[in-house]
Amino acid sequence: MLLLKMKKLLFPLLVFVPLLISAQTDKRIYDIISAVSTERLETDITKLASFGTRHTLSDTISQDRGIGAARRWIKNEFEKTSESCKGCLEVFYQKDLVRKGENDRIVNDVMVVNVVAVQRGTKYPNRYIIMSGDIDSRVSDPNNYTSDSPGANDNASGMAGTLEAARVLSKYKFENSIIYVGLSGEEQGLFGGKGLAAHAKENGWEIIGILNNDMIGNIAGVDGVINNREFRIFSEPVPPTETKEQRNARRFYGGEVDGISRQLARYVYTTTKTYMPEMNPKMIYRLDRFGRGGHHRPFNDAGYAGIRIMEAHENYTQQHQDIRIENGTSYGDIVEHVNFEYAGKLTAVNAINLASIAWAPPSPKEVKIGGIVEPSARLLWSKVDGAVGYKIYWRDTTAPNWEHSRDIGDVTEFTLEGIVIDNYLFGVSSISKDGFESPIVFPNSILR
Ligand SMILES: [Zn+2]
């Protein structure tokens, strides 16, 4: 009798379990992961390395050597991808003239040319999530623009990953626009990123964020560690564009480690852990490596969210080096050192995050929080067109990632009973009907 009752009870549970699972994962994301081709990455990295040098100031006339030939090849690859999806990519050069003497790495006037491919969103055509790699390369002397500089890992790997993500994602339609871009002038002073960020501002682009890929193909580190599972996500704590008032408010309400780039980093971390549990993302709480730079920074400078995705274990004998053998060590950034399977994994990390964000509604613009001297925390946020529900997150003040969450349906305010505001940090995201989630918004206003 008791057993019978249990069976009756179990039945509805069994029906509900698959539904619950499908609300949290989407089969298309797994398809995207398996569609990334290691072979195509190998072909593209080898091709990019074959241009001899892709130095920003190198030859632009030759058909097979220098940055001109390289960017024409990249543009042609985007155009081929576009042809196979009935013209779904808008491909163009975005360029800016940089004058000689702008810094000591610009020894001639040079046109810094980015190659941009836009996959236009069906619902929010002017909202963009961006994936970038770099076109340019360098050897030991940053101003040597003639010597062989294959830049296989730095950064043909990121560039090839960007081309491959475009091929894979062009098979789908998204509500938000996706930009795939090859940026130039990185090694000379982040000029390509600066140019595109300014272009975005001038044209009123609403940028959700940029996933900048710089070196995604090395698994054998100079530290002796060989690891093909781990990778790093760099993000700055708060935007450099914040006002004095915003900085001052943080002293009283918190948020030192909760800027927009950090939320994007957490998003990538969580999506990866959900769909690619074999990978081990490492959140690095800093803008970039110690004293070094990358192309997400100019976007951060302009007030946009941006992170750097890269290998966990670098090898400095293979970065920015003249190709040579010295004391038995092979110096130089050559194709032989690149691990294509690993580059494929990190390309998939990008692709699933681009897709998840491009399928998600916008984040709530305004999120208010209150609960001073109360036994509960209250949140109130602006309604998002296209969201079918919202999720509230909270975590210990010392926790790096969100720990607790609650689906609260299609409402624009909620009180978390029994949760004392002083002891946690909070955030709100919006959810699409397929379960895709926007990046989380940290409260930006106080409820009294
Ligand atoms: Zn570099």
Side-chain angles (χ1 to χ4, degrees):
M1 193 59 199
L2 189 69
L3 211 86
L4 243 165
K5 265 188 184 163
M6 275 181 71
K7 266 188 186 160
K8 270 185 189 163
L9 269 173
L10 272 175
F11 182 68
L13 274 178
L14 286 173
V15 172
F16 269 102
V17 165
L19 282 175
L20 283 171
I21 289 169
S22 77
Q24 285 171 31
T25 60
D26 189 302
K27 185 184 171 291
R28 289 172 293 179
I29 298 291
Y30 294 107
D31 296 340
I32 287 167
I33 295 168
S34 46
V36 171
S37 160
T38 300
E39 291 71 33
R40 284 194 297 260
L41 282 165
E42 177 169 0
T43 306
D44 289 358
I45 291 169
T46 308
K47 178 69 186 179
L48 284 161
S50 80
F51 291 106
T53 174
R54 302 187 307 281
H55 192 285
T56 300
L57 293 118
S58 63
D59 191 341
T60 58
I61 307 297
S62 162
Q63 287 307 304
D64 51 23
R65 189 178 174 86
I67 196 161
R71 69 186 172 228
R72 287 189 292 276
W73 177 80
I74 291 164
K75 185 162 181 274
N76 191 252
E77 285 303 304
F78 279 137
E79 281 163 351
K80 271 164 44 188
T81 298
S82 189
E83 270 166 38
S84 62
C85 61
K86 298 184 188 121
C88 75
L89 300 181
E90 300 158 28
V91 185
F92 59 94
Y93 289 133
Q94 185 276 316
K95 49 188 161 184
D96 290 287
L97 180 66
V98 180
R99 291 284 185 191
K100 176 179 174 175
E102 173 75 28
N103 66 22
D104 55 14
R105 289 188 182 184
I106 301 290
V107 292
N108 294 314
D109 287 358
V110 63
M111 195 61 91
V112 170
V113 183
N114 301 318
V115 188
V116 187
V118 182
Q119 186 173 354
R120 194 62 65 185
T122 54
K123 185 166 180 183
Y124 310 102
N126 198 41
R127 300 186 79 240
Y128 304 88
I129 180 73
I130 307 175
M131 175 179 181
S132 66
D134 301 306
I135 305 172
D136 61 309
S137 66
R138 58 164 281 198
V139 286
S140 302
D141 171 3
N143 294 343
N144 174 348
Y145 54 82
T146 53
S147 289
D148 274 353
S149 174
N153 190 41
D154 182 12
N155 187 10
S157 64
M159 186 67 248
T162 304
L163 290 169
E164 179 62 6
R167 290 185 195 109
V168 170
L169 297 182
S170 61
K171 308 273 185 288
Y172 300 87
K173 290 249 180 288
F174 298 96
E175 293 196 342
N176 294 283
S177 295
I178 301 176
I179 292 179
Y180 313 93
V181 61
L183 297 171
S184 189
E186 198 265 347
E187 307 289 6
Q188 307 316 109
L190 311 177
F191 287 102
K194 215 180 286 175
L196 188 64
H199 181 87
K201 274 263 142 80
E202 279 158 28
N203 290 280
W205 292 1
E206 194 186 329
I207 295 194
I208 304 163
I210 180 166
L211 314 182
N212 176 42
N213 290 262
D214 197 344
M215 295 191 267
I216 59 166
N218 185 62
I219 63 164
V222 79
D223 52 5
V225 177
I226 300 176
N227 187 319
N228 64 356
R229 299 287 168 107
E230 205 165 74
F231 70 95
R232 292 179 288 178
I233 309 168
F234 287 88
S235 62
E236 65 178 1
V238 291
T241 50
E242 67 173 2
T243 61
K244 213 176 134 196
E245 288 71 28
Q246 286 169 324
R247 193 170 71 228
N248 199 39
R250 267 212 314 276
R251 294 188 66 207
F252 305 99
Y253 307 115
E256 296 85 351
V257 294
D258 276 275
I260 49 175
S261 295
R262 186 62 48 75
Q263 304 306 346
L264 183 61
R266 292 194 181 109
Y267 190 99
V268 171
Y269 178 93
T270 304
T271 312
T272 306
K273 281 289 196 188
T274 304
Y275 289 99
M276 300 176 71
E278 76 277 20
M279 296 307 284
N280 183 13
K282 208 171 153 65
M283 293 269 288
I284 309 283
Y285 270 31
R286 65 196 323 162
L287 168 63
D288 208 318
R289 287 88 35 85
F290 191 91
R292 291 189 287 165
H295 252 150
H296 52 306
R297 196 215 302 170
F299 288 85
N300 293 161
D301 290 341
Y304 299 126
I307 60 170
R308 177 185 187 127
I309 293 176
M310 79 176 299
E311 63 210 23
H313 302 280
E314 292 180 62
N315 194 328
Y316 313 120
T317 61
Q318 294 158 20
Q319 291 173 18
H320 307 170
Q321 295 281 358
D322 292 335
I323 300 171
R324 66 194 190 280
I325 307 274
E326 211 174 275
N327 301 325
T329 301
S330 157
Y331 285 82
D333 191 357
I334 55 176
V335 174
E336 287 70 19
H337 295 309
V338 177
N339 185 291
F340 306 111
E341 288 79 12
Y342 180 71
K345 288 283 187 189
L346 295 202
T347 298
V349 164
N350 279 269
I352 64 175
N353 279 286
L354 293 173
S356 299
I357 290 176
W359 272 321
S363 303
K365 272 214 164 53
E366 194 182 23
V367 174
K368 292 184 178 186
I369 189 163
I372 299 171
V373 296
E374 281 171 33
S376 55
R378 197 152 86 88
L379 288 131
L380 191 147
W381 55 94
S382 47
K383 193 171 171 57
V384 175
D385 166 46
V388 300
Y390 303 87
K391 207 163 169 176
I392 291 182
Y393 285 84
W394 68 103
R395 66 179 209 270
D396 274 354
T397 58
T398 53
N401 288 299
W402 297 102
E403 297 176 313
H404 317 286
S405 67
R406 198 157 155 186
D407 273 305
I408 35 115
D410 193 10
V411 295
T412 54
E413 59 180 305
F414 197 80
T415 301
L416 285 165
E417 302 288 353
I419 304 287
V420 174
I421 195 170
D422 309 332
N423 304 339
Y424 302 95
L425 295 167
F426 300 84
V428 181
S429 71
S430 47
I431 317 275
S432 77
K433 68 174 188 338
D434 295 334
F436 287 105
E437 218 178 316
S438 74
I440 294 166
V441 177
F442 191 79
N444 44 31
S445 156
I446 304 303
L447 205 60
R448 295 199 182 272

